[in-house]
Amino acid sequence: MRGTRPMSSTTYRLGVLEGDGIGPEIVPSSVEIATAAAEAAGVHIDWVTLPLGASAIESHGTPVPEETKDALAGLDGWYLGPHDSVSYPEPHKSALNPSGTLRKHFQLFANIRPAKSFPGAKSVCDNADLVIVRENTEGFYADRNTFAGTGEFMPTADTAIMLGIITREATERVARVAFDLARSRRKKLTIVHKANVLKLTTGLFRTVCQEVAKDYPDVAVDDFHIDAMTVHLVRRAQDFDVIVTENMFGDILSDLAGEISGSLGTAPSINSSATTAMAQASHGSAPDIAGQNAANPVAMILSGAMLFEWLAAKHGDEKLATVARTIEKGVADAIAAGTSTRDLGGSASTTEFTAAVIKAIGAGR
């Protein structure tokens, strides 16, 4: 979908929501690197910092202020740092978390999570290069399934119930995103479900994806049960290209794929609708290392690259695609040259790795 932005315009407005835990370390790192890549491509970014998370509870009485949502609606996209909602005071701890709130409010139905091995970094699979497309608005994440409330409830003190919903409309739109992506890559798509047991719900998901496949005869399609898929990823991750699945299955598989390809610290993602997108690393807030300058910013950095790639397609602006490629190359070059954080087998701090990427970007100009 192309926007109406004039092709001559090179200024884009992007939100910055640092979040909690390591967020105030990895998000500024990502912004600094994106700024360097944008300057190299001749693109100007207007960064708009907005309150979110624990600091927003202190300043606004809520982790996701209305003014933040209103401001995001007027931006081209945004970076979202991780949140530590389990440490929030009640009632915020029990409410829908900041990420879920923004995904639900903006109907960001497609969560796209790549997993790619980096030369020079330790990994279980040295040549993994796959993308998990996760439906983001329903499925077996109960907090996505209701207009109000979280979709979980307890009729008695000893009974807990969750809602799991699959619809044709939501499945078809995410399937088309996945098939379009597969068509642009290696033309292979895998549907993941549990239709042997969850016959009606994930059975519908599988059926609708197979129906959409008829419009993509050039894409090879197979399908696996979720339990079998975990085994296949561990044994032969390199054989998979694009994987499409429902919400909870996609969350689990993407964490597994991130570790197989090196570390959850390298696992990026974007959450998108047809009109807007949010860059968000797949990992959590890692409060145990917060403030130590030890966090791996790669996932957040590459989430930003994915956002620029998405914006390039939306606005028809090749300079934005150049920004994305520059960020990706800077990260890969820095790691290949021997600079990486502890989780990848190196010893660099967050700031040292950031500096190495910016240096690599400068060397490539």
Side-chain angles (χ1 to χ4, degrees), residues 266-281:
T266 67
S269 79
I270 62 168
N271 303 272
S272 67
S273 68
T275 57
T276 195
M278 172 174 80
Q280 179 187 19

Side-chain angles (χ1 to χ4, degrees), residues 17-34:
L17 300 92
E18 292 186 352
D20 308 317
I22 60 173
E25 297 167 79
I26 64 172
V27 173
S29 165
S30 306
V31 168
E32 189 177 350
I33 288 168

Side-chain angles (χ1 to χ4, degrees), residues 19-87:
D20 308 317
I22 60 173
E25 297 167 79
I26 64 172
V27 173
S29 165
S30 306
V31 168
E32 189 177 350
I33 288 168
T35 299
E39 288 176 352
V43 175
H44 177 70
I45 306 298
D46 181 12
W47 299 101
V48 181
T49 301
L50 297 166
L52 179 129
S55 61
I57 294 175
E58 294 180 6
S59 61
H60 293 73
T62 175
V64 188
E66 287 300 317
E67 68 179 59
T68 294
K69 289 188 283 189
D70 291 343
L72 291 175
L75 301 179
D76 293 300
W78 61 89
Y79 282 40
L80 174 67
H83 54 75
D84 184 20
S85 53
V86 296
S87 68

Side-chain angles (χ1 to χ4, degrees), residues 27-326:
V27 173
S29 165
S30 306
V31 168
E32 189 177 350
I33 288 168
T35 299
E39 288 176 352
V43 175
H44 177 70
I45 306 298
D46 181 12
W47 299 101
V48 181
T49 301
L50 297 166
L52 179 129
S55 61
I57 294 175
E58 294 180 6
S59 61
H60 293 73
T62 175
V64 188
E66 287 300 317
E67 68 179 59
T68 294
K69 289 188 283 189
D70 291 343
L72 291 175
L75 301 179
D76 293 300
W78 61 89
Y79 282 40
L80 174 67
H83 54 75
D84 184 20
S85 53
V86 296
S87 68
Y88 294 169
E90 293 291 6
H92 311 295
K93 179 178 180 179
S94 298
L96 184 58
N97 64 44
S99 172
T101 297
L102 293 178
R103 296 182 195 198
K104 191 169 183 176
H105 179 77
F106 290 99
Q107 278 293 295
L108 305 177
F109 67 85
N111 183 202
I112 302 172
R113 294 185 166 187
K116 185 175 182 179
S117 306
F118 284 97
K122 65 176 183 179
S123 61
V124 176
C125 179
D126 293 333
N127 54 352
D129 183 7
L130 59 90
V131 182
I132 294 172
V133 179
R134 169 191 175 198
E135 202 291 317
N136 215 13
T137 63
E138 53 182 33
F140 294 98
Y141 263 23
D143 61 11
R144 309 289 197 270
N145 290 326
T146 58
F147 172 74
T150 65
E152 287 189 308
F153 57 97
M154 296 182 69
T156 75
D158 300 313
T159 303
I161 298 173
M162 62 171 279
L163 302 177
I165 297 174
I166 302 288
T167 66
R168 175 175 293 275
E169 178 184 12
T171 303
E172 181 173 347
R173 67 183 179 182
V174 79
R176 293 195 179 280
V177 169
F179 274 99
D180 286 340
L181 182 59
R183 180 172 273 175
S184 71
R185 288 171 49 91
R186 303 197 305 274
K187 295 181 172 58
K188 294 171 58 180
L189 183 137
T190 300
I191 307 163
V192 175
H193 56 89
K194 189 63 177 172
N196 59 328
V197 176
L198 302 171
K199 299 178 185 295
L200 298 181
T201 48
T202 70
L204 178 62
F205 187 92
R206 181 188 61 181
T207 297
V208 172
C209 288
Q210 290 171 337
E211 291 171 356
V212 171
K214 296 175 183 177
D215 294 334
Y216 297 83
D218 53 324
V219 176
V221 180
D222 58 8
D223 68 276
F224 293 101
H225 297 143
I226 177 62
D227 45 350
M229 189 64 196
T230 60
V231 177
H232 289 303
L233 273 184
V234 171
R235 287 182 174 174
R236 54 186 188 94
Q238 71 278 0
D239 293 343
F240 294 95
D241 183 19
V242 174
I243 298 167
V244 64
T245 189
E246 66 85 40
N247 210 334
M248 184 178 291
F249 296 166
D251 196 12
I252 295 168
L253 288 179
S254 57
D255 280 3
L256 175 60
E259 282 296 327
I260 287 171
S261 62
S263 163
L264 267 181
T266 67
S269 79
I270 62 168
N271 303 272
S272 67
S273 68
T275 57
T276 195
M278 172 174 80
Q280 179 187 19
S282 297
H283 59 70
S285 62
D288 56 318
I289 60 170
Q292 299 178 25
N293 195 25
N296 183 353
V298 168
M300 194 71 240
I301 295 166
L302 294 182
S303 297
M306 291 179 69
L307 176 60
F308 279 101
E309 187 176 12
W310 185 91
L311 289 169
K314 178 184 178 184
H315 295 292
D317 190 341
E318 180 58 28
K319 288 185 177 181
L320 292 173
T322 300
V323 174
R325 290 192 294 268
T326 301

